[in-house]
């Protein structure tokens, strides 16, 4: 028997031609590139004080409520080592008061009149207590 001829009017649902998807479905996808990370601007902080920055240090820094080398470095645009040295200088002149000293960070605050009086009274009391202890006779002092 001769092979059957396909009907021109009817189409077989199993043998329907596949439609191409929009956007070119197959093929090799592009390889994802690694990002180079976020680029930070380079800080251009001063290594030594100039006249205007030094005046700003003495004028503004003693009025801050919280004073750390990090804050001074950021606001005055100076290096951290220079900010640390400047805070030690301000503390020695009595313009700021030391709250906490740690090997990595020192915390200061503004110096107020009441705080200065309290420190002087505490220092005087400590000196009086030290002199009172030295005057007490020990066991060897008795006869």
């Amino acid at each position: 028997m001769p092979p059957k001829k396909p009907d021109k009017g009817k189409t077989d649902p199993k043998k329907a031609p596949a439609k191409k998807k929009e956007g070119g479905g197959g093929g090799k996808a592009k390889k994802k590139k690694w990002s180079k990370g976020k680029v930070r601007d380079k800080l251009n902080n001063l290594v030594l004080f100039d006249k205007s920055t030094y005046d700003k240090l003495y004028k503004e820094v003693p009025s801050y409520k919280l004073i750390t080398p990090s804050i001074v470095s950021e606001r005055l645009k100076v290096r951290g080592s220079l900010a640390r040295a400047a805070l030690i200088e301000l503390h020695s002149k009595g313009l700021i008061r030391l709250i906490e000293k740690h090997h990595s960070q020192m915390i200061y605050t503004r110096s107020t009149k009441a705080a200065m009086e309290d420190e002087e009274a505490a220092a005087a009391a400590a000196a009086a207590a030290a002199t009172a202890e030295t005057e007490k006779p020990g066991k060897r002092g008795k006869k």
Side-chain angles (χ1 to χ4, degrees):
M1 229 167 103
K4 291 184 179 180
K5 291 182 181 177
D7 292 335
K8 289 183 180 178
K10 294 182 179 177
T11 56
D12 193 10
K14 293 179 185 174
K15 294 184 181 178
K19 293 181 182 177
K20 282 196 169 183
K21 293 181 182 177
E22 294 292 322
K28 196 171 186 180
K30 282 189 176 180
K31 192 173 184 182
K32 186 178 177 189
K33 305 259 184 184
W34 284 95
S35 68
K36 295 191 172 52
K38 293 183 180 179
V39 179
R40 263 184 54 190
D41 294 334
K42 188 175 186 325
L43 295 175
N44 194 12
N45 290 344
L46 297 173
V47 181
L48 295 171
F49 279 118
D50 55 356
K51 181 73 174 139
S52 62
T53 311
Y54 194 70
D55 293 339
K56 198 174 182 183
L57 172 79
Y58 272 86
K59 186 180 177 186
E60 291 181 10
V61 172
S63 65
Y64 296 162
K65 191 167 189 178
L66 175 68
I67 307 167
T68 63
S70 310
I71 291 172
V72 173
S73 171
E74 188 178 320
R75 291 187 187 172
L76 298 182
K77 302 283 187 247
V78 295
R79 291 260 173 109
S81 56
L82 188 61
R84 206 177 323 118
L87 292 181
I88 291 170
E89 181 182 325
L90 289 174
H91 178 64
S92 66
K93 292 187 177 181
L95 296 172
I96 58 177
R97 188 166 51 100
L98 181 68
I99 295 175
E100 185 69 33
K101 183 169 182 169
H102 193 261
H103 69 91
S104 61
Q105 188 81 344
M106 295 173 293
I107 302 173
Y108 297 91
T109 189
R110 58 185 170 215
S111 187
T112 58
K113 291 179 183 177
M116 293 291 282
E117 291 170 0
D118 290 344
E119 285 180 9
E120 289 172 3
T131 56
E133 282 186 22
T134 56
E135 292 175 2
K136 289 182 182 177
K139 289 183 178 178
R140 296 183 184 209
K142 292 183 181 178
K143 284 192 176 180

